[in-house]
Every structure is written in C-alpha cells, then in structure tokens.
Amino acid sequence: PVTRGHVRNGRRAAAGAGGRRHGRRVWCDGCYDMVHYGHSNQLRQARAMGDYLIVGVHTDEEIAKHKGPPVFTQEERYKMVQAIKWVDEIAPGAPYVTTLETLDKYSCDFCVHGDDITLTIDGKDTYEEVKTAGRYRECKRTQGVSTTDLVGRMLLMTKAHHSNIDEDLDYRKHTDNFGKVICVCCLFPQGPKGHSPWTGVSQFLQTSQKIIQFASGKEPQPGDTIIYVAGAFDLFHVGHVDFLEKVHQLAEKPYIIAGLHFDQEVNRYKGKNYPIMNIHERTLSVLACRYVSEVVIGAPYAVTADLLDHFRVTLVCHGMTEVVPDKDGSDPYEEPKQRGIFQLVDSGSNLTTDLIVQRIIKNRLEFEARNQKKEAKELAVLEAMRRLEEEKH
C-alpha cells in the first residue's frame, strides 16, 4: 500500500505531519476515482500556486457514503494519484469535508479546488470552513472532460468521441440525456427542469498550449537509457502505472518515450468503441505520469528501424498482454527483436481497460443512481444561489 513519505524517484518525501516545511505548502483532496487529465490539470495548477503539493485521497467507505460506490479501490486510487508528476505527497484516508484541522495537521497554507462544487450527503459545501477562513484558492476546471462523460462513452458504445469522426445521433442523444435524472426502477429518463453545469457533457479541444503545460520539456541526456513503449494507453489507469513503474526501474537513468497509436489504429486491434479516450485526451493522460519523459502522438503500429534510429532507442518494452499482428500479418516488434533490444515486462497487475469497462457496466444502475443524486444536489444549490441573488436585488 502507498503511505505518506514513501520513497519516490530515489528521494524520501517529508512526512506530512511535522515534516520539514517546503515553502508554500498546498493541499488538494478528492475521490480521484477514474483519474483523467482533468484531475491532473487541477493538480498541475495547484502545484504552480506553491512549492509542495499534498493530495488527500478519500477512502472507499467515505466515497460510498457521500457519492456512491467508487470504480477503483482506495489502494488503486492512492497509487494512481502518486503517479501524477505534480504530486509531492499523498495523504491516504483524508476526510471528505476539508477542515482547518486537516490543513494544520499537514502544515498547509491553503487548499485548492476546481471551480465546480463538492457537496456532502446532506447537500453542504465541503469547503465551507476553509473558504470562511480565507484558506481556499480556486483553479479552472478543465473543459471537455468529466467522469460522467467517460462512463457515458463506455455505456453507449458509440465512436463519436474518436478524433476525425463526425458527431453522430447517438452521441447527441448522450449529451442531452446522460446528465438527466434516471429512474433506476425502469431506466426511463426523467429530466429535471435544468441541467447542472458541473455534471453535464462537453467535448475537449486540444491546444498546443495544453500540451506544453503537461510536457516535461526535457531532452535525453548523455548516459540516459532511452526506452520505447507503445500502445493505446486508453483510460490511463493503475495497470499502466504499474507497467511504466517497472519499465522505469530497468535503468539507472531511464528516459521513457511512450508511442500512442491513433484512434483508428486502436479501434482496428481493440474493436468495439475503443479507444474510450481519443488521441488528444490520451496524450495528456500519459504526459501527466511521472515515469514518462516524452510522447509520440500517433506512433506507427510497427516499431520501425526509422523510429528506433530517430529516437536513439536502446530498449523496447511491452507488457504481458497479447500483441495483435499488423495489417499485413507481421509482428510489429520484429525490428527491435532482430536488434536484440526487445523485452517483455510483467507489471504484476492484471488490470486492463476491458476490466475497468466491465466493472462500470456491472454497476450500471448504481452509477446512474449516483449521477441522479449528484445532479439533483447540484441543481438544489444552484436554485439556492439564484434565490440569494434575487434577494440581494
């Protein structure tokens, strides 16, 4: 299990409570269930506001009480958050309501949260106490992604989220209906009068600025071992983290380049409506991982001599999952195998994107019930805020 102050990148982090101060200490907290680039971007912004970032992660029990059952276990979620490169330390089992006592315990100056609202089971703002005390900062929510949207893509099995594919009728229906209240008994939509702006769906627009913000910007240095890995890295999850961590341990000075296949290529070898995340979203998810130095956007499926020579690759790694032959039936790893630089790496994890999707579909009714409760609470708060504004005027 991941605990506070565990070894990261050869350096030991100071323990949160009573550890040496690191300039301005920043606190973030959350469920971090199904971590995506929106979460990573929030943590990137929070880290930029200070010198040391501590992230509190709630337990399964706390999340189930306030929001509904999480997809990932707390151990999986701890490991996932720790792999995000802007995180200096995690605090497992953080309370759902953020208090001054928690900030003081970890010697944090203030906490940071996105410009959406987080409510307890009885509809109260979880950040009310720290806001009142002036120890709260806000960062911009990442437009175009939400856990709700990702779950919707999995359940609908459409391909409208892929790059270079026109939006289709199913997806338009999804954007209209997925945020609506669902009657769990009969699964008929019962739409409320309004939509919560925090639970709705929008599509992500990639920019060069966003890639620059996420990229390390570091070139390989003399003595670095340049390691190439390739794949879909779809719904970037703890199974990917386990694999990349093992690859990272293969060298003293690793420089890991991740080759991401285009959406159409992934769909060829994965089928169904994979990838769940398009190439732009997958790029940011992988760049946020502390073990990855560089990403090739739209890497060729076959690892060619040109690619190996261009990046001066010394080792090519693949996990224990099946390697699907190229379109012509050839082995995509033929070239690195001939050069004697190919290595299979056992991550010790059996978690795959398929298994995640199965977990979600299995709990479909529970997720729909969770979305229903979440939006109903958010709409109630919006209505209360609207009434307050009217009373002022």
Side-chain angles (χ1 to χ4, degrees):
V2 183
T3 55
R4 289 195 302 276
H6 80 290
V7 175
R8 288 190 310 278
N9 295 346
R11 299 190 305 275
R12 187 171 179 83
R20 184 171 62 86
R21 276 191 68 87
H22 295 251
R24 282 163 71 86
R25 290 166 69 93
V26 181
W27 173 269
C28 279
D29 56 27
C31 304
Y32 301 102
D33 193 27
M34 280 182 63
V35 170
H36 51 66
Y37 58 92
H39 296 117
S40 301
N41 194 38
Q42 180 223 357
L43 297 174
R44 178 190 67 79
Q45 292 177 75
R47 181 63 173 77
M49 294 182 191
D51 305 293
Y52 193 81
L53 176 62
I54 302 174
V55 181
V57 184
H58 310 317
T59 62
D60 296 344
E61 187 181 0
E62 279 279 272
I63 296 170
K65 177 184 167 187
H66 293 278
K67 291 181 78 171
V71 182
F72 292 94
T73 68
Q74 59 200 43
E75 293 302 326
E76 289 170 334
R77 292 183 290 107
Y78 297 156
K79 190 159 201 172
M80 195 69 206
V81 173
Q82 188 60 70
I84 295 171
K85 63 186 177 184
W86 298 287
V87 176
D88 294 297
E89 183 182 330
I90 67 159
Y96 198 80
V97 175
T98 309
T99 61
L100 293 172
E101 183 186 352
T102 299
L103 295 190
D104 291 341
K105 178 182 176 182
Y106 291 93
S107 305
C108 288
D109 298 280
F110 54 86
C111 83
V112 176
H113 186 65
D115 53 1
D116 57 336
I117 196 159
T118 306
L119 305 170
T120 63
I121 193 167
D122 50 4
K124 290 179 181 171
D125 182 351
T126 58
Y127 294 97
E128 189 177 343
E129 185 178 316
V130 290
K131 282 178 179 176
T132 305
R135 290 172 69 180
Y136 177 86
R137 306 283 184 277
E138 207 162 76
C139 63
K140 284 287 177 193
R141 187 175 178 277
T142 306
Q143 292 299 313
V145 65
S146 70
T147 304
T148 306
D149 182 29
L150 294 174
V151 172
R153 294 181 198 180
M154 292 174 223
L155 298 179
L156 276 168
M157 299 299 286
T158 63
K159 298 181 188 178
H161 54 278
H162 292 180
S163 59
N164 304 322
I165 293 179
D166 291 334
E167 180 186 48
D168 63 15
L169 186 62
D170 281 346
Y171 195 76
R172 281 201 295 275
K173 229 184 284 178
H174 157 48
T175 60
D176 289 341
N177 290 338
F178 194 75
K180 288 187 182 179
V181 176
I182 301 292
C183 168
V184 178
C185 303
C186 53
L187 290 181
F188 289 129
Q190 299 183 350
K193 290 178 183 175
H195 285 295
S196 163
W198 302 301
T199 305
V201 176
S202 57
Q203 288 202 277
F204 173 68
L205 297 173
Q206 183 71 286
T207 62
S208 56
Q209 182 60 29
K210 188 61 66 193
I211 293 173
I212 289 165
Q213 287 171 345
F214 272 58
S216 70
K218 292 174 184 171
E219 296 278 335
Q221 299 301 307
D224 283 357
T225 300
I226 301 173
I227 307 173
Y228 182 75
V229 297
F233 292 100
D234 192 18
L235 282 179
F236 193 76
H237 54 73
V238 73
H240 296 130
V241 169
D242 285 334
F243 167 70
L244 291 167
E245 185 180 24
K246 284 280 167 59
V247 171
H248 196 268
Q249 291 166 357
L250 293 175
E252 194 176 328
K253 291 176 67 185
Y255 186 94
I256 298 176
I257 301 173
L260 301 191
H261 303 139
F262 278 130
D263 298 343
Q264 286 73 18
E265 189 68 67
V266 175
N267 191 249
R268 178 188 71 81
Y269 64 81
K270 288 278 289 180
K272 298 178 185 174
N273 70 330
Y274 290 115
I276 303 297
M277 283 184 160
N278 67 41
I279 184 69
H280 307 301
E281 298 172 309
R282 291 183 285 121
T283 296
L284 295 184
S285 298
V286 176
L287 280 174
C289 179
R290 66 173 68 249
Y291 304 117
V292 175
S293 301
E294 182 63 288
V295 165
V296 180
I297 304 168
Y301 188 64
V303 182
T304 61
D306 284 346
L307 185 147
L308 296 174
D309 294 341
H310 178 81
F311 291 109
R312 304 192 305 279
V313 175
T314 47
L315 186 62
V316 175
C317 295
H318 189 271
M320 306 308 285
T321 54
E322 179 196 4
V323 176
V324 177
D326 206 346
K327 292 188 191 79
D328 61 2
S330 63
D331 179 356
Y333 290 101
E334 188 178 340
E335 180 65 27
K337 283 176 181 176
Q338 284 182 356
R339 295 189 183 197
I341 60 168
F342 179 77
Q343 186 172 334
L344 284 173
V345 174
D346 187 352
S347 68
S349 170
N350 65 351
L351 191 63
T352 63
T353 306
D354 275 326
L355 284 173
I356 293 168
V357 173
Q358 284 169 29
R359 281 190 195 184
I360 289 163
I361 290 173
K362 183 184 171 191
N363 291 307
R364 179 171 181 165
L365 291 179
E366 291 175 276
F367 279 108
E368 284 168 342
R370 177 167 78 174
N371 288 332
Q372 173 186 348
K373 285 197 300 184
K374 184 169 182 275
E375 184 158 43
K377 280 196 290 186
E378 288 170 354
L379 285 167
V381 170
L382 271 179
E383 181 61 22
M385 287 163 72
R386 188 184 65 76
R387 282 179 186 162
L388 275 173
E389 281 300 311
E390 284 177 357
E391 286 169 14
K392 283 179 188 175
H393 296 98

